[in-house]
Amino acid sequence: MIEFNPPPFIGQAHQNALLEVDCNQYGPTLGRTRLKTVLATTYSRLYDAPLDGDKNIAITTGATAAILGSLMAYIEHGDEVIVIKPLFNLYAYLVNFVGGVLKPVTLHPPTDTVRSRMLADDWRLNMKELGDAIGPRTKNAVGKTFNATGWRVGYAIGNENLIKHVQWAHVLLSYVTPGPAQEAAAAAYEDPRSEDFFNDNRSLFKQKIDIFCQILDDLGLMHATLGESFVRFVVCKTDEQIELAKTRLQGLGADCSLPAAHTAQG
């Protein structure tokens, strides 16, 4: 769980937006112009392709709503959705919610299992298995920028003919995303200090990751590291190892509890 505040200049932007009358009323259902414009500018540069904020971007109430909106736009009862395992188990819940059928394709670990640490690049996707998973009812495949997940601002980017259906699914799901949070997110992307924030945040996460990985190494638990991501896959072979790992992490203040629905998934 991310438990860091957004940088002060972004928090201040949110406070300023709360004082704007239009931000505190129902705003444009498809997203505020300022946010769509800066996202189009940012991702046009990253993708090296021109994007239109109105036609290629769907503003949603959080990333989960972006995924759910995409599924609602295209999945009918019995349609298949390919996911790559290991996966965030929320994907399975969302696919089931819309009546879809989950078609998992597993990443294969490296054959050299002597090492305690494995890089994500060492894992391989069998393209034949992926091809075999695609059937006549396959419709989709699914795969926290400023430490402000509680603001519930997300977005989806895509081809105009695809994204327009996601935009209207969002209207049915949420109607409108909170205006002050959208304005603050736009201000964050516009502010040149964001680049320093990204670099500092990566360093902070790297420190946390190093501590976490050292505990796993001390316990003899095999794990896969995903570059600078804060996500880790851990292989625990016994209940005793799991309990010992939880005890060590709780000693550092980590919350190791899981909701019942997550525990049931194994």
Side-chain angles (χ1 to χ4, degrees):
M1 177 179 292
I2 300 174
E3 295 182 344
F4 311 128
N5 267 334
F9 70 92
I10 297 177
Q12 186 61 54
H14 195 283
Q15 292 182 41
N16 294 342
L18 288 169
L19 301 177
E20 299 294 331
V21 174
D22 66 318
C23 285
N24 290 293
Q25 313 305 319
Y26 283 130
T29 55
L30 301 185
R32 297 183 68 84
T33 298
R34 183 183 180 186
L35 179 57
K36 291 189 293 183
T37 299
V38 71
L39 287 174
T41 300
T42 300
Y43 283 93
S44 291
R45 183 175 65 252
L46 291 174
Y47 294 159
D48 194 23
L51 293 173
D52 184 298
D54 292 322
K55 297 178 180 179
N56 300 119
I57 296 176
I59 302 298
T60 61
T61 309
T64 298
I67 297 171
L68 180 57
S70 300
L71 294 171
M72 288 183 64
Y74 292 102
I75 301 301
E76 298 181 2
H77 186 79
D79 287 341
E80 297 172 349
V81 178
I82 295 174
V83 294
I84 307 301
K85 293 181 63 177
L87 74 153
F88 183 27
N89 56 9
L90 181 63
Y91 294 164
Y93 300 148
L94 296 178
V95 172
N96 290 335
F97 179 76
V98 300
V101 176
L102 208 65
K103 296 281 288 187
V105 178
T106 302
L107 282 174
H108 296 280
T111 54
D112 176 13
T113 58
V114 177
R115 295 170 295 166
S116 63
R117 293 193 185 190
M118 297 177 289
L119 296 176
D121 288 346
D122 294 333
W123 294 58
R124 291 290 179 264
L125 179 65
N126 186 307
M127 299 308 293
K128 183 180 184 305
E129 292 179 5
L130 177 61
D132 290 343
I134 300 175
R137 298 214 64 175
T138 301
K139 289 289 185 68
N140 212 334
V142 297
K144 321 288 189 203
T145 307
F146 292 106
N147 295 350
T149 53
W151 290 4
R152 312 305 300 138
V153 177
Y155 51 88
I157 300 175
N159 178 277
E160 175 185 359
N161 292 325
L162 297 175
I163 213 70
K164 64 183 181 182
H165 302 294
V166 180
Q167 290 174 327
W168 288 109
H170 155 72
V171 174
L172 295 175
L173 282 169
S174 307
Y175 186 62
V176 66
T177 298
Q182 288 190 67
E183 287 295 302
Y189 277 103
E190 293 168 351
D191 197 306
R193 287 174 291 181
S194 291
E195 193 62 37
D196 291 334
F197 164 73
F198 291 140
N199 294 330
D200 293 343
N201 217 35
R202 277 192 291 267
S203 297
L204 180 59
F205 272 111
K206 181 64 166 59
Q207 294 172 18
K208 303 293 185 182
I209 289 168
D210 289 343
I211 294 173
F212 182 60
C213 289
Q214 186 59 56
I215 291 175
L216 298 178
D217 289 339
D218 291 346
L219 294 172
L221 299 177
M222 185 184 302
H223 55 94
T225 62
L226 306 182
E228 294 183 342
S229 168
F230 61 86
V231 177
R232 288 294 178 272
F233 296 111
V234 185
V235 180
C236 295
K237 297 183 178 180
T238 67
D239 290 341
E240 289 77 12
Q241 285 181 312
I242 295 175
E243 291 304 316
L244 184 56
K246 286 172 61 177
T247 299
R248 290 286 300 277
L249 292 171
Q250 286 168 342
L252 294 173
D255 181 1
C256 297
S257 61
L258 289 174
H262 288 67
T263 305
Q265 292 290 315

